[in-house]
Amino acid sequence: MSMADLLVIITEVLLRTVAMMYFPRSFLNITPVCSTNTVLACAATLISVWFTVAFTLDRFLAICYQNVKAKYCTERTASVIMGIVSVFSCLISVPWYFTMGPEYNMHYIPRGCIFKQAFLNLTSWASFELLMLSLMAWFPFLLLLLLNSLTARHILMSGRVRRGLRDRKPGDNDPEMENRRKSVVLLFCISSSFLLLWSTQVIYVLSERVFGTPYVKGSEFESVALMLQVLCTCTNTVIYVLTQNKFREQMKSAVRYPIYLIVKLVKNRNAS
């Protein structure tokens, strides 16, 4: 998940947005290169989104179906799913290459990337764009909402059973129940953040394709939609990973280690 998010930052932010804005005369602005970057950015976004869905499914099976955890929640299964998602995302993103045309020519070299008129007018291309939007936003959100809701329901139901078995007194703190409540909050944070951050991009595309609003490239609304979309590919990984105890311990060790080396170096210097 983290690697997929890093690829989104590299392809969408660095190679497309930053390079096109601040280095317009670089080789990245040549139309074939720019079109290739569009394909890579789309593939990276799909991979990031569906890796999050796959991770959510893995957690759902591990929590709600303990009997299949040992069989399906394995490293081999995860590798196969990641491979399938990666290959499928790359293949379905290839048509984006043919939606781009040169914005201008410089010394007989096509430069810049703008959508071709056929992409803006043909129903087939509009259907393809809506399909990609569904794969990136609508279907993943529905799956995340469904899986997280079922997981939260299982946690709440098992919590009621646990409280009944413990016959807990008022004011008695149960660490396990506290962890479960945090898990429920975490699951709904994932779904709500995905919906909110993708909603602007969905509205932007629908307003152009369904309601006929002019497709204005480079508008402020498009910039905000793109920024929130890119941000969404990072938030889920951050939310998932930062809530894991092992990761937090590793982060603390990584922060303390340079301090430990400096202190050790100072002590050795004073001793000599």
Side-chain angles (χ1 to χ4, degrees), residues 77 95 191:
T77 303
S191 300

Side-chain angles (χ1 to χ4, degrees), residues 58 69-84:
D58 179 83
K69 177 180 178 181
K71 183 177 181 180
Y72 294 104
C73 301
T74 61
E75 183 177 351
R76 179 180 179 182
T77 303
S79 300
V80 172
I81 292 177
M82 288 190 296
I84 294 174

Side-chain angles (χ1 to χ4, degrees), residues 42-115:
C42 179
T45 302
L46 275 174
I47 292 172
S48 175
V49 169
W50 284 98
F51 274 10
T52 302
V53 175
F55 182 83
T56 305
L57 177 61
D58 179 83
R59 294 300 86 200
F60 167 73
L61 294 175
I63 294 174
C64 300
Y65 297 94
Q66 296 288 332
N67 55 332
V68 301
K69 177 180 178 181
K71 183 177 181 180
Y72 294 104
C73 301
T74 61
E75 183 177 351
R76 179 180 179 182
T77 303
S79 300
V80 172
I81 292 177
M82 288 190 296
I84 294 174
V85 170
S86 300
V87 172
F88 176 77
S89 299
C90 293
L91 291 178
I92 201 172
S93 301
V94 170
W96 281 111
Y97 183 90
F98 304 99
T99 65
M100 296 294 176
E103 189 172 1
Y104 61 93
N105 287 281
M106 179 180 291
H107 304 299
Y108 303 103
I109 299 177
R111 286 186 170 273
C113 281
I114 58 174
F115 288 114

